[in-house]
Amino acid sequence: MLDAERSRRLLEAALDVFSAKGFDGARVQEIADRAGVNKQLISYYFGGKLGLCRELQKAWQESETGLSGLDLPLEEAVVRRLHDALADPRPLRLGLWRGLTNPSDLTADEPEECEDLSHTYARRDRRELAADIDPASVVLLLIGAVAAPVTMPQLVRRIFGTDVSDPAIEEQYASQLRRNIRRLALPFPDDGEAPTGASPDVEP
């Protein structure tokens, strides 16, 4: 059985390479060299590059709580996810590579499962979201809001005038995310016009 330390090094090295080069561009030899192990160990313990990539996806899914937990207000859950993504953008970049290239081998035997939106419906029930907000759409919207600074750093430089690694950018962006998410709880009139007043707990 692969010992825990070598397994950790292999998964870390694989995450580095896959997130930088995608599944097709990654080379087993480079991953092994980064981990300081013989490349045959990847085949022996993971069944090769495909098995190693699937193991990374599994580890990420197990640790990724996303927006599903209800222990934090929605705005704080999103800001925490933003902080994690900026601190370690590799998992998000790996997901982007997968979406862009979508190698059939990675999804050939994966079950077709719909995203569990029950927690987002629960947030709407407890009035963190207005009654006319579609939970599926808001989940996609907020995931995109978190992903944008990581996946399009050049856009951050153009908009904010500085690099995404600047701590002030995270603070500024997180503050505005909070404000915008609070506004998702505000009901809109049936005629589609913006509400004339904000609820007491929403900052101007």
Side-chain angles (χ1 to χ4, degrees):
M1 184 175 182
L2 183 62
D3 66 80
E5 176 58 22
R6 282 194 293 183
S7 176
R8 183 194 65 78
R9 295 206 314 265
L10 268 174
L11 290 172
E12 279 291 308
L15 186 54
D16 283 341
V17 177
F18 282 129
S19 64
K21 300 182 177 181
F23 179 79
D24 291 338
R27 295 292 177 264
V28 170
Q29 186 63 62
E30 181 179 0
I31 295 171
D33 290 345
R34 281 175 177 258
V37 302
N38 189 300
K39 72 175 184 179
Q40 298 303 321
L41 286 178
I42 296 176
S43 296
Y44 185 76
Y45 290 110
F46 296 101
K49 184 171 75 168
L50 178 58
L52 186 57
C53 191
R54 284 178 171 168
E55 187 66 24
L56 279 177
Q57 292 174 352
K58 178 182 175 182
W60 184 32
Q61 289 168 356
E62 289 176 350
S63 63
E64 172 64 34
T65 57
L67 307 177
S68 60
L70 293 171
D71 55 322
L72 291 174
L74 179 59
E75 63 188 81
E76 294 305 324
V78 174
V79 167
R80 175 178 289 186
R81 187 168 181 178
L82 171 68
H83 175 77
D84 291 345
L86 291 174
D88 185 2
R90 296 174 302 168
L92 195 52
R93 287 174 179 163
L94 178 60
L96 179 64
W97 272 110
R98 183 182 177 189
L100 291 174
T101 58
N102 194 26
S104 58
D105 286 344
L106 288 176
T107 56
D109 59 359
E110 290 183 355
E112 290 290 334
E113 293 182 358
C114 292
E115 186 74 16
D116 181 8
L117 300 177
S118 60
H119 289 86
T120 312
Y121 278 97
R123 288 187 184 280
R124 192 174 67 176
D125 291 343
R126 70 186 196 185
R127 299 185 179 180
E128 286 191 79
L129 298 170
D132 59 350
I133 292 290
D134 171 39
S137 297
V138 80
V139 167
L140 188 61
L141 172 71
L142 295 177
I143 290 174
V146 169
V150 173
T151 58
M152 295 181 286
Q154 76 283 3
L155 193 58
V156 173
R157 287 191 294 271
R158 288 171 57 190
I159 293 173
F160 292 95
T162 188
D163 195 84
V164 70
S165 61
D166 184 346
I169 293 302
E170 179 180 347
E171 182 178 352
Q172 179 182 353
Y173 187 53
S175 173
Q176 293 305 309
L177 271 181
R178 287 189 178 96
R179 292 187 180 209
N180 282 287
I181 291 169
R182 290 185 198 123
R183 281 158 174 77
L184 292 175
L186 295 176
F188 277 71
D190 291 338
D191 61 5
E193 295 180 1
T196 57
S199 60
D201 59 339
V202 176
E203 297 179 15

